[in-house]
Amino acid sequence: MTASTTGAPAIRVQGLEKAYGKISVLRGVDFEVERGSIFALLGSNGAGKTTAVRILSTLLTPDAGEASINGFDLATEPAQVRESISLTGQFAAVDEILTGRENLVLVARLRHLESPGAVADDLLERFVLTEAGDRRAATYSGGMRRRLDIAMSLIGDPPIVFLDEPTTGLDPERRIEVWRAIEKLAASGTTVLLTTQYLDEAEELADRIAILHQGRIIVAGSLDELTRLLPPATVEYVEKQPSLEDIFLTLVGDRGPEDTSGAPAAEPGKK
């Protein structure tokens, strides 16, 4: 695998269209994703986000349009595209019978990597799962499974990772765990295309945001650029009360990234 022209976008999409019968899901989608950045495809349920990701990962064939991934043409070089990417879907695809470490070792062996144990240990450390590495994945919380799933997708060091609604169904603490993991991906040079329906997620993570609505990109840019599309805010001084999320994270934040002891939490006033 070669290609990846320096300076060229990691992902370039032009005029992408897809319909299921008479229902048009994508109606001419265009966007570019710079290398090493986090790009959020933001839209409500049914907007076409997952369809776009499935096309770009070669799981679906578009009706029209073209795209290049890591310098490879989606239509004529699908094998090279698949070698350049990794996909994490909306539900964690871990084997619950295996331990976290065994899941990682299995994928490393399937990809014919040298020292699969060392690969697994490195990823467990990167995703703060070392202490839980020898536990069966069935005992993991939703956030831990998500982190393990993303870690598995990184085996083989793909330059581009698709994350399709990675925090769906997670509580606030677990969502933030996954956010930190995604930020580490981009910091290491990996290009991340993230689909989400959560406004705060796109605001927190993305270098650039594209809003997909009724099968079309209606606006794209950085958060600052999108903010400037609206009239200037009127300055008012109000007393700001802490949000429920602020309260929740303050109360539980001293327990660390994950309580892996398995012991039930004490009720207020009990020891």
Side-chain angles (χ1 to χ4, degrees):
M1 181 185 71
T2 21
S4 101
T5 320
T6 305
I11 302 171
R12 177 182 283 127
V13 177
Q14 295 176 305
L16 211 59
E17 297 181 14
K18 183 66 179 179
Y20 298 103
K22 295 182 179 180
I23 301 174
S24 294
V25 179
L26 300 179
R27 306 180 183 186
V29 170
D30 303 273
F31 62 84
E32 293 185 352
V33 181
E34 298 303 318
R35 295 183 181 279
S37 68
I38 300 176
F39 181 90
L41 197 54
L42 178 65
S44 57
N45 283 332
K49 304 184 301 295
T50 296
T51 295
V53 167
R54 287 175 63 82
I55 289 173
L56 295 179
S57 55
T58 75
L59 297 176
L60 277 179
T61 302
D63 297 331
E66 57 187 34
S68 62
I69 310 291
N70 199 33
F72 297 109
D73 184 85
L74 185 69
T76 61
E77 301 173 292
Q80 291 90 331
V81 168
R82 285 191 288 269
E83 289 179 7
S84 299
I85 66 170
S86 187
L87 168 64
T88 297
Q90 295 180 23
F91 304 99
V94 302
D95 189 323
E96 296 187 348
I97 295 176
L98 302 179
T99 67
R101 189 175 189 276
E102 287 170 343
N103 270 281
L104 293 166
V105 168
L106 175 62
V107 175
R109 286 177 174 165
L110 290 173
R111 296 193 177 181
H112 307 291
L113 299 184
E114 296 182 4
S115 306
V119 171
D121 291 338
D122 175 63
L123 286 167
L124 288 171
E125 182 175 357
R126 283 174 61 186
F127 286 87
V128 199
L129 290 169
T130 300
E131 291 186 6
D134 291 327
R135 282 172 39 196
R136 288 177 56 191
T139 69
Y140 284 14
S141 70
M144 293 171 71
R145 290 189 197 191
R146 251 315 179 198
R147 297 205 312 273
L148 177 61
D149 195 28
I150 295 173
M152 290 165 63
S153 73
L154 294 185
I155 293 175
D157 295 321
I160 299 167
V161 173
F162 297 123
L163 301 178
D164 189 15
E165 303 201 26
T167 63
T168 296
L170 297 184
D171 63 47
E173 255 192 310
R174 305 290 86 83
R175 287 182 71 207
I176 290 175
E177 289 176 18
V178 174
W179 287 359
R180 300 291 85 85
I182 293 170
E183 288 172 338
K184 287 180 180 179
L185 282 187
S188 69
T190 303
T191 303
V192 178
L193 191 155
L194 165 77
T195 74
T196 183
Q197 57 182 309
Y198 299 128
L199 302 178
D200 59 337
E201 189 157 275
E203 184 174 359
E204 173 75 19
L205 294 174
D207 300 301
R208 292 182 65 80
I209 301 165
I211 298 177
L212 184 62
H213 181 64
Q214 295 182 347
R216 292 188 175 93
I217 300 291
I218 59 174
V219 68
S222 67
L223 181 60
D224 286 343
E225 290 168 342
L226 299 187
T227 301
R228 288 197 293 271
L229 296 175
L230 300 180
T234 302
V235 178
E236 296 180 356
Y237 294 95
V238 297
E239 182 179 350
K240 182 180 182 300
Q241 297 296 325
S243 67
L244 181 59
E245 184 170 332
D246 293 333
I247 296 168
F248 179 88
L249 294 175
T250 298
L251 292 175
V252 303
D254 60 352
R255 298 189 68 179
E258 187 69 52
D259 180 8
T260 60
S261 66
E267 295 179 14
K270 295 184 178 182
K271 295 185 179 179

Short mmCIF file of all heavy atoms in Angstrom, two decimals, residues 198-222:
data_model
loop_
_atom_site.label_atom_id
_atom_site.label_comp_id
_atom_site.label_asym_id
_atom_site.label_seq_id
_atom_site.Cartn_x
_atom_site.Cartn_y
_atom_site.Cartn_z
N TYR A 198 -25.02 14.28 18.43
CA TYR A 198 -24.90 15.08 19.65
C TYR A 198 -24.14 16.37 19.35
O TYR A 198 -22.97 16.34 18.96
CB TYR A 198 -24.17 14.29 20.73
CG TYR A 198 -24.87 13.01 21.14
CD1 TYR A 198 -24.18 11.79 21.14
CD2 TYR A 198 -26.20 13.01 21.53
CE1 TYR A 198 -24.82 10.62 21.52
CE2 TYR A 198 -26.84 11.84 21.91
CZ TYR A 198 -26.15 10.65 21.90
OH TYR A 198 -26.77 9.49 22.27
N LEU A 199 -24.79 17.50 19.57
CA LEU A 199 -24.17 18.80 19.28
C LEU A 199 -22.93 19.02 20.15
O LEU A 199 -21.91 19.51 19.67
CB LEU A 199 -25.18 19.93 19.52
CG LEU A 199 -26.48 19.85 18.71
CD1 LEU A 199 -27.40 21.00 19.08
CD2 LEU A 199 -26.19 19.87 17.22
N ASP A 200 -23.03 18.66 21.45
CA ASP A 200 -21.90 18.90 22.34
C ASP A 200 -20.70 18.04 21.96
O ASP A 200 -19.55 18.44 22.15
CB ASP A 200 -22.29 18.66 23.80
CG ASP A 200 -22.79 17.24 24.06
OD1 ASP A 200 -23.24 16.58 23.11
OD2 ASP A 200 -22.73 16.79 25.22
N GLU A 201 -20.94 16.86 21.40
CA GLU A 201 -19.85 15.98 20.99
C GLU A 201 -19.06 16.60 19.83
O GLU A 201 -17.83 16.63 19.83
CB GLU A 201 -20.41 14.63 20.58
CG GLU A 201 -19.37 13.56 20.32
CD GLU A 201 -19.96 12.18 20.47
OE1 GLU A 201 -20.02 11.69 21.62
OE2 GLU A 201 -20.38 11.60 19.45
N ALA A 202 -19.79 17.09 18.83
CA ALA A 202 -19.13 17.75 17.70
C ALA A 202 -18.39 19.01 18.17
O ALA A 202 -17.26 19.28 17.75
CB ALA A 202 -20.17 18.12 16.64
N GLU A 203 -19.01 19.75 19.07
CA GLU A 203 -18.40 20.98 19.57
C GLU A 203 -17.13 20.68 20.36
O GLU A 203 -16.13 21.39 20.26
CB GLU A 203 -19.40 21.72 20.46
CG GLU A 203 -18.93 23.06 20.97
CD GLU A 203 -20.02 23.80 21.72
OE1 GLU A 203 -21.14 23.27 21.83
OE2 GLU A 203 -19.74 24.90 22.23
N GLU A 204 -17.14 19.61 21.14
CA GLU A 204 -16.00 19.25 21.99
C GLU A 204 -14.83 18.71 21.18
O GLU A 204 -13.67 19.03 21.48
CB GLU A 204 -16.44 18.19 23.01
CG GLU A 204 -15.33 17.59 23.86
CD GLU A 204 -14.85 18.52 24.94
OE1 GLU A 204 -15.58 19.48 25.27
OE2 GLU A 204 -13.74 18.29 25.46
N LEU A 205 -15.10 17.91 20.16
CA LEU A 205 -14.04 17.13 19.53
C LEU A 205 -13.55 17.66 18.19
O LEU A 205 -12.37 17.54 17.87
CB LEU A 205 -14.52 15.69 19.32
CG LEU A 205 -14.77 14.86 20.57
CD1 LEU A 205 -15.38 13.51 20.19
CD2 LEU A 205 -13.48 14.65 21.36
N ALA A 206 -14.45 18.20 17.37
CA ALA A 206 -14.15 18.35 15.95
C ALA A 206 -13.32 19.59 15.62
O ALA A 206 -13.56 20.67 16.15
CB ALA A 206 -15.45 18.38 15.15
N ASP A 207 -12.37 19.40 14.70
CA ASP A 207 -11.67 20.54 14.11
C ASP A 207 -12.56 21.21 13.07
O ASP A 207 -12.54 22.43 12.92
CB ASP A 207 -10.36 20.07 13.44
CG ASP A 207 -9.42 19.42 14.43
OD1 ASP A 207 -9.03 20.10 15.40
OD2 ASP A 207 -9.08 18.23 14.25
N ARG A 208 -13.31 20.38 12.34
CA ARG A 208 -14.27 20.88 11.37
C ARG A 208 -15.56 20.07 11.48
O ARG A 208 -15.53 18.89 11.82
CB ARG A 208 -13.72 20.82 9.94
CG ARG A 208 -12.58 21.78 9.69
CD ARG A 208 -12.09 21.73 8.24
NE ARG A 208 -13.10 22.19 7.29
CZ ARG A 208 -13.37 23.46 7.03
NH1 ARG A 208 -12.73 24.42 7.68
NH2 ARG A 208 -14.29 23.79 6.14
N ILE A 209 -16.68 20.74 11.18
CA ILE A 209 -18.00 20.14 11.32
C ILE A 209 -18.76 20.33 10.02
O ILE A 209 -18.77 21.43 9.45
CB ILE A 209 -18.79 20.80 12.48
CG1 ILE A 209 -18.02 20.65 13.80
CG2 ILE A 209 -20.19 20.21 12.59
CD1 ILE A 209 -18.55 21.56 14.91
N ALA A 210 -19.41 19.27 9.55
CA ALA A 210 -20.32 19.36 8.42
C ALA A 210 -21.70 18.92 8.89
O ALA A 210 -21.83 17.87 9.52
CB ALA A 210 -19.85 18.49 7.25
N ILE A 211 -22.70 19.73 8.61
CA ILE A 211 -24.06 19.40 9.02
C ILE A 211 -24.78 18.77 7.83
O ILE A 211 -24.95 19.39 6.78
CB ILE A 211 -24.81 20.65 9.52
CG1 ILE A 211 -24.09 21.23 10.75
CG2 ILE A 211 -26.26 20.30 9.87
CD1 ILE A 211 -24.72 22.50 11.29
N LEU A 212 -25.18 17.51 8.02
CA LEU A 212 -25.87 16.75 6.99
C LEU A 212 -27.37 16.76 7.29
O LEU A 212 -27.80 16.33 8.35
CB LEU A 212 -25.34 15.31 6.97
CG LEU A 212 -25.87 14.36 5.90
CD1 LEU A 212 -25.52 14.86 4.51
CD2 LEU A 212 -25.31 12.95 6.11
N HIS A 213 -28.14 17.29 6.34
CA HIS A 213 -29.59 17.41 6.55
C HIS A 213 -30.32 17.03 5.28
O HIS A 213 -30.04 17.57 4.20
CB HIS A 213 -29.93 18.86 6.95
CG HIS A 213 -31.39 19.08 7.22
ND1 HIS A 213 -32.07 18.46 8.25
CD2 HIS A 213 -32.32 19.84 6.56
CE1 HIS A 213 -33.34 18.85 8.24
NE2 HIS A 213 -33.52 19.67 7.22
N GLN A 214 -31.21 16.05 5.40
CA GLN A 214 -32.00 15.58 4.27
C GLN A 214 -31.11 15.21 3.08
O GLN A 214 -31.41 15.53 1.93
CB GLN A 214 -33.05 16.62 3.87
CG GLN A 214 -34.09 16.85 4.96
CD GLN A 214 -35.16 17.84 4.58
OE1 GLN A 214 -35.03 18.56 3.58
NE2 GLN A 214 -36.22 17.91 5.36
N GLY A 215 -29.99 14.54 3.40
CA GLY A 215 -29.13 14.00 2.36
C GLY A 215 -28.15 14.97 1.74
O GLY A 215 -27.45 14.62 0.79
N ARG A 216 -28.07 16.19 2.27
CA ARG A 216 -27.14 17.19 1.72
C ARG A 216 -26.34 17.85 2.84
O ARG A 216 -26.83 18.01 3.95
CB ARG A 216 -27.88 18.27 0.95
CG ARG A 216 -28.53 17.79 -0.35
CD ARG A 216 -29.07 18.98 -1.15
NE ARG A 216 -29.59 18.55 -2.44
CZ ARG A 216 -30.86 18.24 -2.68
NH1 ARG A 216 -31.73 18.30 -1.68
NH2 ARG A 216 -31.25 17.88 -3.88
N ILE A 217 -25.11 18.24 2.55
CA ILE A 217 -24.32 19.06 3.47
C ILE A 217 -24.82 20.48 3.33
O ILE A 217 -24.66 21.11 2.27
CB ILE A 217 -22.82 18.98 3.15
CG1 ILE A 217 -22.29 17.55 3.24
CG2 ILE A 217 -22.03 19.92 4.09
CD1 ILE A 217 -22.24 16.97 4.62
N ILE A 218 -25.42 21.02 4.38
CA ILE A 218 -25.97 22.37 4.28
C ILE A 218 -24.98 23.43 4.74
O ILE A 218 -25.10 24.60 4.36
CB ILE A 218 -27.29 22.49 5.07
CG1 ILE A 218 -27.09 22.14 6.55
CG2 ILE A 218 -28.36 21.60 4.45
CD1 ILE A 218 -28.34 22.39 7.40
N VAL A 219 -23.98 23.03 5.52
CA VAL A 219 -22.93 23.97 5.92
C VAL A 219 -21.75 23.16 6.45
O VAL A 219 -21.93 22.07 6.98
CB VAL A 219 -23.45 24.96 7.00
CG1 VAL A 219 -23.73 24.23 8.31
CG2 VAL A 219 -22.48 26.11 7.21
N ALA A 220 -20.54 23.67 6.29
CA ALA A 220 -19.33 23.01 6.81
C ALA A 220 -18.30 24.05 7.18
O ALA A 220 -18.20 25.10 6.53
CB ALA A 220 -18.76 22.04 5.77
N GLY A 221 -17.55 23.78 8.23
CA GLY A 221 -16.51 24.70 8.65
C GLY A 221 -16.09 24.42 10.07
O GLY A 221 -16.57 23.48 10.71
N SER A 222 -15.19 25.25 10.58
CA SER A 222 -14.80 25.13 11.99
C SER A 222 -15.92 25.67 12.86
O SER A 222 -16.86 26.33 12.37
CB SER A 222 -13.52 25.93 12.25
OG SER A 222 -13.78 27.33 12.11
#
